[in-house]
Structures are given as structure tokens and as C-alpha cells.
Amino acid sequence: METQVAIVGAGPAGLVLARLLELRGVSSVVLEARSREYVEQRVRAGVLEQRTVDCLDEAGVSERLHEEGMVHHGIELRFGGVGHRIDFNALTGGKSITVYGQQEVVKDLIAARLESELPLLFEVSDVAVDVSRPSVSFTHEGRSVELSCDVIAGCDGFHGVCREAIADVLTVYERVYPFAWLGILARSKPSSEELIYANHARGFALHSMRSPSVTRSYLQCSPDEDLDDWPDARIWEELNARFELDGGFALNEGEIFEKGVTPMRSFVVEPMQHEKLFLAGDAAHIVPPTGAKGMNLAIADVEILASALESFYASGDTSGLESYSEHCLRRVWRVQHFSYFMTSMLHRPDGQDPFEAKLQHAQLEYVCRSEAAAKSLAENYVGLHEV
Ligand code: FAD
Ligand code: DHB
């Protein structure tokens, strides 16, 4: 089997890259370890930056996103029993975010790929990459296949094989947090028009949504939290306690139909490229979820990779490929800093040092009182165009 670009992984990074290459006349084969049903049901992120929406528009896969996605012009920070709105419209010159589930983005991209009748192989196993030849070998439907290519795009997420294949040349930067998120989906009407990020003595909580009748909420918990200890009634009680307001506040409750625990880490490898292998998305970096950057960052990487490959195939210009890693890493570290900042400002580590608790409170008051500080939060949240 032969192609120009072998793409390992059909998450947002791999699928967006495949689509952008298709529109630029570059051939690709996408290899995915899981089944189509699995990747379409996997519940993850939900906030799209404006530039991600623009990218999906350009890719021609945003029709349902515009019908069903919810455009938000601000968020609320809630602490000390009071809510404070961060007004994106006013602070960023009219920018917004769109709330639309990651698995919906993935469904739309898979549908477009299949409609174009381009290769997207699910349930491949034994995937191994050879970065110097370059090629990818794998098993599909019981047959061993060798795919030779010009370039390999390692879009196989944090637990994939591509990063491992070049581990010898990588420097790892990492921070693991002493807490995690317990995330739920519930059949209940959102209790607020916008997302609420709450800092409370019992821990962080986030109120988000997926549609006018489905809410997505998260609670700070411990990384080894046992879901069996969290019957629905306890989850609602804890969420209500953490979202309390001086004037009173009660969430709209409903049936919880999905629960999971997400660990939190910051992780970056440098460089993001070696020989003919280019890492993109979670294969190269992880951010803690506070601020909703993971999927947006994955898509920003592959936009850069797609234009570098376009120039390479159009005119043999290798400069974009050579500067790929450096170019991506500028945004990666900006976003790492923002996600770390949001995480540190909003979570309460067990046994929090009273000095740090005071600093955290001072920081929260500052972003709510100072226009300059609010503007900095807002421009990072909606997504920086250039870094
Ligand atoms: P992925 O989406 O991980 O896609 C990689 C794909 O590669 C997967 O489909 C995987 O099955 C496949 N794969 C792996 N190994 C192989 C192999 N050997 N061969 C072929 N295919 C392979 N971000 C937020 O902003 N907010 C959130 O609330 C949030 N929640 C999250 C919850 C969880 C449980 C996780 C894991 C992540 C969450 N994220 C969140 C992060 C966000 O979802 C990711 O940043 C985003 O999915 C990155 O996209 P990606 O395409 O790089 O990687
Ligand atoms: C969602 C996830 C996030 O990490 C975040 O900061 C905001 C919203 C969500 O899943 O809706």
C-alpha cells in the first residue's frame, strides 16, 4: 500500500489533517486502532475556539456545528458565593466560543471522509512506524499490511506508538496534578446560559452543556476516585454545594447517563518532529482540561502541518516542514501556561497551604476587577490567533 501521508490515529488531529490534505490534493491513509462506534461515542471536550470553528468551516464539515453548536460570549467565575462574568465580547473585540461536543466533531469528520471514499481503516492492530524509510506496518482484517509513504503524521494521542518510536531524541516536560475531574452528562436543562467555573472550599466545579436539554458538569476529585462511591444523589449534592450563591442557587437536576474520571497532567515533548515523523495533538502534548484547550491545540498543530505539506508538494519547499516543531511549540507553551494558570487559580489541593489560598483568592479578585487581567484571561480563552 502506498500514500503520501500516513496518518496514525482518527481523533480530531488525524481526521482534520486528513480533510485539510484532501482539500489540498495530497493523498493520505488514516489508521485507527478503535472501532468507528468507539471513537464516535468517546465523550471528551466541548469548547471550540473561534479559530477551530473557522478551520472546520474551511474544511467544509461545520454544517451541523452551526445548527446545533451553542455560541457563548462569556463565562462566569464563581467564588465566595458571588458570580463574576468575564465578557468575551467586550474584552476581545467581539470574539466568542462555540460549545459542541468533540465526538460530534469526530462524527462530522468521519462522515465527510467516508463520503469522499478515501481510506480510513478502523480496528487496525500491531501498528509500528519506521521513521527513516518511512513506512507504517499494521494488521487489518487479519492481513499484515505495509504502508509506504513520504511522511508519517503521529496523531495517535497520548497512549499511541508514534511518540515512543522517537523517544530517544525527545525531551519530556511534565507535571502531574494531585487531583482529577469527575465528569458527568445529565439529561437536564442548563442552569445558566454560560459556563460556570467555581472555586469553592470543597473543590473546583464546572457547569457546562451539550444542548438545551443536556448538561456536562465536572467536580474536582482525587485521581484514584472510585465511581462506585458517587451515586447520582451524591454528585448533585456536591455540585449544588460548590455552585452555591449568596442569594441562593439550585441546579436543574436530571438522569445522569455518563460518568468518568479524567486525570490531569501537563506534558510536552520537544521536538515535535524527527526525520519523517511529525507528532500532532495529544501525541506530543497534554494540557490539564481547565480552559478547554486540548482539542483546540490538536487542531492548531495540524493546520500548521497541512500548510507545510501543501507547500512541500506544490513546490518542493521544505521550510514549513523544517520549522513545524518550533512553530507549533510557541502556541503549545502559551496554552500550557494558560491551562496551568486556570488550573492553579481554580482548584483546591488537599491540605492547601493557607498562604497559597490567599494568593489564589487575590488572583481571582484581580481577574474579576481589573480590565487588563480579565482581558488577558479572555483573549487566551477564546484563543489567540497568532502567538
Ligand atoms: P485523540 O483524540 O486521543 O485521538 C488519538 C486517536 O488515535 C484515538 O482515536 C486512538 O484510538 C488512536 N490510536 C491510539 N493508538 C493508536 C495506534 N497505535 N494506532 C492507531 N490509532 C491509535 N480536553 C478539553 O479541552 N476538555 C475536556 O473536558 C477534555 N476531556 C478529556 C477527557 C479524556 C478522558 C481525555 C483522554 C481527554 C480529554 N480532553 C479534554 C483532551 C482532548 O479530548 C484531547 O486533547 C483531544 O482528543 C486531542 O485530540 P488528538 O486527535 O490529538 O488525540
Ligand atoms: C468543557 C470542558 C472543559 O475542560 C472546559 O474548561 C470547559 C467545558 C466541556 O466539556 O464542556
Side-chain angles (χ1 to χ4, degrees), residues 198-387:
N199 174 310
H200 189 274
R202 299 170 73 118
F204 167 75
L206 169 60
H207 181 63
S208 180
M209 59 202 71
R210 288 293 178 269
S211 74
S213 56
V214 172
T215 54
R216 174 89 168 135
S217 300
Y218 300 93
L219 282 169
Q220 176 187 340
C221 64
S222 97
D224 55 4
E225 200 75 47
D226 185 351
L227 282 176
D228 290 342
D229 294 338
W230 287 91
D232 294 8
R234 181 176 173 207
I235 292 177
W236 289 117
E237 188 184 78
E238 194 59 36
L239 285 168
N240 274 311
R242 295 187 193 186
F243 287 118
E244 71 179 346
L245 277 180
D246 286 347
F249 179 79
L251 288 164
N252 300 319
E253 299 182 16
E255 180 212 346
I256 296 177
F257 60 95
E258 152 83 33
K259 278 184 210 174
V261 173
T262 306
M264 295 182 53
R265 68 169 80 228
S266 304
F267 177 94
V268 182
V269 291
E270 291 192 10
M272 287 171 57
Q273 169 260 332
H274 179 61
E275 296 191 3
K276 297 295 169 63
L277 173 63
F278 293 78
L279 298 175
D282 280 17
H285 41 71
I286 296 284
V287 290
T290 335
K293 290 292 165 201
M295 174 175 48
N296 293 295
L297 196 53
I299 292 176
D301 287 349
V302 298
E303 284 188 84
I304 294 171
L305 187 54
S307 30
L309 287 165
E310 180 182 24
S311 307
F312 172 65
Y313 284 111
S315 63
D317 174 6
T318 56
S319 61
L321 292 175
E322 281 155 19
S323 61
Y324 169 75
S325 176
E326 194 192 327
H327 193 169
C328 289
L329 285 166
R330 279 204 294 275
R331 175 177 299 276
V332 168
W333 280 110
R334 171 87 300 280
V335 169
Q336 282 292 358
H337 182 270
F338 177 67
S339 305
Y340 172 85
F341 157 77
M342 290 288 281
T343 301
S344 318
M345 180 171 73
L346 289 162
H347 292 72
R348 299 282 188 113
D350 274 348
Q352 189 181 33
D353 164 358
F355 181 79
E356 282 187 4
K358 288 284 186 188
L359 290 182
Q360 195 178 54
H361 190 254
Q363 180 67 55
L364 280 164
E365 291 212 309
Y366 184 51
V367 294
C368 297
R369 290 213 181 120
S370 153
E371 189 181 325
K375 213 167 184 160
S376 168
L377 190 155
E379 72 167 5
N380 279 277
Y381 197 102
V382 300
L384 291 159
H385 265 263
E386 278 312 315
V387 180

Side-chain angles (χ1 to χ4, degrees), residues 48-279:
L48 310 186
E49 294 174 357
Q50 184 59 52
R51 56 188 306 290
T52 300
V53 174
D54 294 345
C55 171
L56 297 170
D57 282 340
E58 187 211 322
V61 291
S62 57
E63 199 178 312
R64 203 162 61 92
L65 155 69
H66 289 295
E67 273 166 33
E68 298 174 18
M70 293 177 277
V71 177
H72 287 190
H73 298 283
I75 54 168
E76 180 183 329
L77 297 180
R78 192 175 286 192
F79 57 97
V82 180
H84 307 260
R85 182 164 190 259
I86 304 287
D87 182 341
F88 297 156
N89 231 0
L91 294 162
T92 67
K95 291 200 182 133
S96 57
I97 51 151
T98 301
V99 180
Y100 187 65
Q102 175 170 329
Q103 81 266 39
E104 305 307 321
V105 174
V106 164
K107 279 181 203 163
D108 297 341
L109 286 159
I110 290 176
R113 180 84 181 167
L114 298 179
E115 198 180 307
S116 302
E117 298 182 359
L118 292 171
L120 163 54
L121 310 184
F122 290 102
E123 298 181 73
V124 301
S125 53
D126 312 319
V127 176
V129 299
D130 180 337
V131 295
S132 47
R133 282 196 19 234
S135 67
V136 184
S137 59
F138 58 94
T139 305
H140 184 239
E141 293 175 345
R143 284 184 300 123
S144 295
V145 183
E146 178 150 327
L147 172 64
S148 67
C149 54
D150 302 329
V151 162
I152 303 168
C155 302
D156 51 348
F158 188 63
H159 301 288
V161 295
C162 290
R163 188 179 64 249
E164 276 310 303
I166 56 167
D168 288 354
V169 302
L170 300 177
T171 304
V172 175
Y173 300 87
E174 187 170 24
R175 165 104 9 137
V176 177
Y177 298 87
F179 33 76
W181 281 12
L182 192 168
I184 61 152
L185 280 172
R187 276 182 239 291
S188 61
K189 185 172 165 302
S191 307
S192 155
E193 286 188 2
E194 295 177 339
L195 273 56
I196 310 170
Y197 288 81
N199 174 310
H200 189 274
R202 299 170 73 118
F204 167 75
L206 169 60
H207 181 63
S208 180
M209 59 202 71
R210 288 293 178 269
S211 74
S213 56
V214 172
T215 54
R216 174 89 168 135
S217 300
Y218 300 93
L219 282 169
Q220 176 187 340
C221 64
S222 97
D224 55 4
E225 200 75 47
D226 185 351
L227 282 176
D228 290 342
D229 294 338
W230 287 91
D232 294 8
R234 181 176 173 207
I235 292 177
W236 289 117
E237 188 184 78
E238 194 59 36
L239 285 168
N240 274 311
R242 295 187 193 186
F243 287 118
E244 71 179 346
L245 277 180
D246 286 347
F249 179 79
L251 288 164
N252 300 319
E253 299 182 16
E255 180 212 346
I256 296 177
F257 60 95
E258 152 83 33
K259 278 184 210 174
V261 173
T262 306
M264 295 182 53
R265 68 169 80 228
S266 304
F267 177 94
V268 182
V269 291
E270 291 192 10
M272 287 171 57
Q273 169 260 332
H274 179 61
E275 296 191 3
K276 297 295 169 63
L277 173 63
F278 293 78
L279 298 175

